[in-house]
């Protein structure tokens, strides 16, 4: 019999150079694609969002290519479009936060400020506009606009490549999985188990948690709008869409995430009711019963376990999401969970 040490040495001699060569190629590939890592990770995210739907269509008799195209066009593309629209509307709402009583807000927040001195008339605003028009820096607007157009075209191209990458992943996933199993993993059950667990973890994170947050945003927006329909005069929930998005994102924070949002809204409504008339204090109570008890109970009992499962501690998911963007940039919101799962 050959001692185990001799077997290990023989394995290292036969495979070591190949692994070193593969490692060098990986470094070259990562360096060459460093500017596109974010879009690649975004494509992987889209793949995990599209995969369950594509698999269901494939089981119904559609070919892999047809199921991939149908899923990307009818599910993923509207999903990405909805994300951009919701984000844009949220930015617009942030930029247009209730300015009709701006003087009164300043008076409450900064009692020492004389709001009568703020420029509000055309005669006061005109000199500022005239100075802006004669500013020599205005000549750079054309360059800024051309740069903006260039960045838009670049982003559109990269988004197209990302969708193409996700399409091939969805269409050829069976061939890729078979190739990895037969050509790379081969007879290594531990590696097979590990890769399968990583795949299930990414599916849970990207598909499950994304659907959970999206479901909470939609349900919260509908309920906020419904509560505003029965709210007393002058006692409505402000910025419904923005607060719905905040409620969904706060769900990532374990235990207290949504409760912080609810408590803030209840406090705002209660203070407003006290100023306008104590008879409206029933509305903050109704809001907390509906959102803090009924809605939150449904999310905890049915929505979250059904969509996202419980593969990972919520704290790990939280830090993966909140530490990813500061470390890696905009795509860290996708790369952070990938690193956490791996």
């Amino acid at each position: 019999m050959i001692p185990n040490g001799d077997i290990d040495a023989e394995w290292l001699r036969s495979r070591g150079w190949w692994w070193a060569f593969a490692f060098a190629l990986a470094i070259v590939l990562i360096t060459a694609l460093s500017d596109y890592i974010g879009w690649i990770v975004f494509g992987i995210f889209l793949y995990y969002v599209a995969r369950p739907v594509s698999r269901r269509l494939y089981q119904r008799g559609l070919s892999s290519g047809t199921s991939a195209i149908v899923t990307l066009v009818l599910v993923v593309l509207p999903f990405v479009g909805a994300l951009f629209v919701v984000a844009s509307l949220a930015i617009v709402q942030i930029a247009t936060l209730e300015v009709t009583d701006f003087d009164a807000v300043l008076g409450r927040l900064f009692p020492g400020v004389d709001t009568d001195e703020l420029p509000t008339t055309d005669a006061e605003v005109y000199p500022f506009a005239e100075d802006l028009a004669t500013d020599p820096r205005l000549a750079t607007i054309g360059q800024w606009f051309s740069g903006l157009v260039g960045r838009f075209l670049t982003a559109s191209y990269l988004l197209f490549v990302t969708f193409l990458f996700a399409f091939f992943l969805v269409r050829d996933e069976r061939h890729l999985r078979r190739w990895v199993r037969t050509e790379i993993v081969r007879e290594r059950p531990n590696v097979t188990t590990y890769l399968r667990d990583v795949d299930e973890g990414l599916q849970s994170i990207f598909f499950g948690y994304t659907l959970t947050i999206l479901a909470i945003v939609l349900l919260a927006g509908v309920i906020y709008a419904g509560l505003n329909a029965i709210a007393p005069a002058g006692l409505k929930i402000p910025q419904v869409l923005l607060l719905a998005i905040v409620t969904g994102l706060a769900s990532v924070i374990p235990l207290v995430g949504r409760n912080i949002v609810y408590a803030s809204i209840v406090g705002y409504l209660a203070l407003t009711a006290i100023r306008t008339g104590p008879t409206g204090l029933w509305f903050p109570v109704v809001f907390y019963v509906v959102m803090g008890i009924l809605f939150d109970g449904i999310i905890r009992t049915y929505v979250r376990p059904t969509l996202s499962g419980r593969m990972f501690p919520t704290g790990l998911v939280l830090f993966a999401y909140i530490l990813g963007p500061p470390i890696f940039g905009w795509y860290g919101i996708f790369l952070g969970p990938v690193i956490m799962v791996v």
Side-chain angles (χ1 to χ4, degrees), residues 50-51 53-54 57 66-77:
R51 189 174 73 175
V53 180
S54 178
L57 294 176
T66 304
S67 61
I69 292 176
V70 171
T71 303
L72 289 176
V73 172
L74 298 183
V75 177
V76 176
L77 190 59

Side-chain angles (χ1 to χ4, degrees), residues 24-84:
L25 284 180
I27 293 178
V28 172
L29 184 63
I30 292 175
T31 303
L33 298 178
S34 59
D35 294 337
Y36 305 96
I37 292 295
W39 296 96
I40 293 173
V41 177
F42 185 51
I44 295 174
F45 164 76
L46 295 181
Y47 160 69
Y48 279 101
V49 171
R51 189 174 73 175
V53 180
S54 178
R55 286 181 174 179
R56 185 65 60 88
L57 294 176
Y58 181 78
Q59 293 172 358
R60 295 293 179 88
L62 295 180
S63 65
S64 58
T66 304
S67 61
I69 292 176
V70 171
T71 303
L72 289 176
V73 172
L74 298 183
V75 177
V76 176
L77 190 59
F79 171 74
V80 174
L83 287 182
F84 278 111

Side-chain angles (χ1 to χ4, degrees), residues 4-5 88 103 143 160 170 208 223 261 316:
N4 289 336
S88 301
D103 290 349
Q143 298 177 355
F160 168 76
V170 174
I223 295 176
V261 179
L316 283 180

Side-chain angles (χ1 to χ4, degrees), residues 122 149 276 280 289 327:
D122 294 341
V149 172
T276 58
V289 170
I327 296 174

Side-chain angles (χ1 to χ4, degrees), residues 33-325:
L33 298 178
S34 59
D35 294 337
Y36 305 96
I37 292 295
W39 296 96
I40 293 173
V41 177
F42 185 51
I44 295 174
F45 164 76
L46 295 181
Y47 160 69
Y48 279 101
V49 171
R51 189 174 73 175
V53 180
S54 178
R55 286 181 174 179
R56 185 65 60 88
L57 294 176
Y58 181 78
Q59 293 172 358
R60 295 293 179 88
L62 295 180
S63 65
S64 58
T66 304
S67 61
I69 292 176
V70 171
T71 303
L72 289 176
V73 172
L74 298 183
V75 177
V76 176
L77 190 59
F79 171 74
V80 174
L83 287 182
F84 278 111
V85 169
V86 170
S88 301
L89 291 177
I91 293 173
V92 170
Q93 287 203 351
I94 291 175
T96 58
L97 286 176
E98 199 60 42
V99 295
T100 55
D101 198 18
F102 186 64
D103 290 349
V105 172
L106 283 181
R108 290 194 184 96
L109 294 179
F110 307 102
V113 175
D114 186 5
T115 57
D116 294 334
E117 297 179 359
L118 294 175
T120 55
T121 64
D122 294 341
E124 294 171 332
V125 174
Y126 179 76
F128 171 77
E130 187 178 28
D131 293 340
L132 181 63
T134 57
D135 194 329
R137 290 175 295 180
L138 197 62
T140 62
I141 290 182
Q143 298 177 355
W144 171 83
F145 181 75
S146 62
L148 182 64
V149 172
R151 287 192 294 270
F152 173 76
L153 293 177
T154 301
S156 299
Y157 167 74
L158 292 174
L159 191 60
F160 168 76
V161 173
T162 301
F163 271 93
L164 196 63
F165 175 60
F167 165 75
F168 281 108
L169 285 180
V170 174
R171 191 194 68 173
D172 299 331
E173 62 164 337
R174 296 166 189 84
H175 302 291
L176 291 173
R177 189 166 56 249
R178 188 182 308 113
W179 175 74
V180 170
R181 185 173 59 250
T182 58
E183 299 296 333
I184 298 179
V185 177
R186 295 185 178 178
E187 300 299 328
R188 297 186 182 91
N190 291 337
V191 177
T192 302
T193 302
Y194 171 73
L195 293 178
R196 184 172 60 247
D197 290 343
V198 168
D199 180 66
E200 292 176 359
L202 292 176
Q203 181 70 43
S204 173
I205 290 293
F206 284 151
F207 184 76
Y209 275 88
T210 301
L211 278 188
T212 300
I213 293 174
L214 186 61
I216 293 174
V217 169
L218 295 177
L219 292 175
V222 171
I223 295 176
Y224 289 163
L227 288 173
N228 275 347
I230 63 172
L235 197 63
K236 294 184 180 296
I237 302 170
Q239 308 296 336
V240 168
L241 176 60
L242 186 60
L243 285 178
I245 296 174
V246 172
T247 304
L249 295 179
S251 301
V252 180
I253 304 176
L255 299 179
V256 299
R258 290 190 300 275
N259 289 326
I260 294 176
V261 179
Y262 303 152
S264 302
I265 298 176
V266 168
Y268 168 81
L269 294 176
L271 291 176
T272 304
I274 291 173
R275 288 198 300 265
T276 58
T279 57
L281 284 174
W282 64 268
F283 185 64
V285 176
V286 170
F287 173 86
Y288 181 76
V289 170
V290 172
M291 297 301 300
I293 299 178
L294 299 179
F295 177 77
D296 216 55
I298 293 174
I299 296 299
R300 293 178 185 274
T301 306
Y302 300 104
V303 176
R304 183 186 291 276
T306 300
L307 294 180
S308 60
R310 301 184 183 275
M311 285 193 64
F312 303 98
T314 311
L316 283 180
V317 179
L318 167 66
F319 283 107
Y321 275 114
I322 66 175
L323 293 180

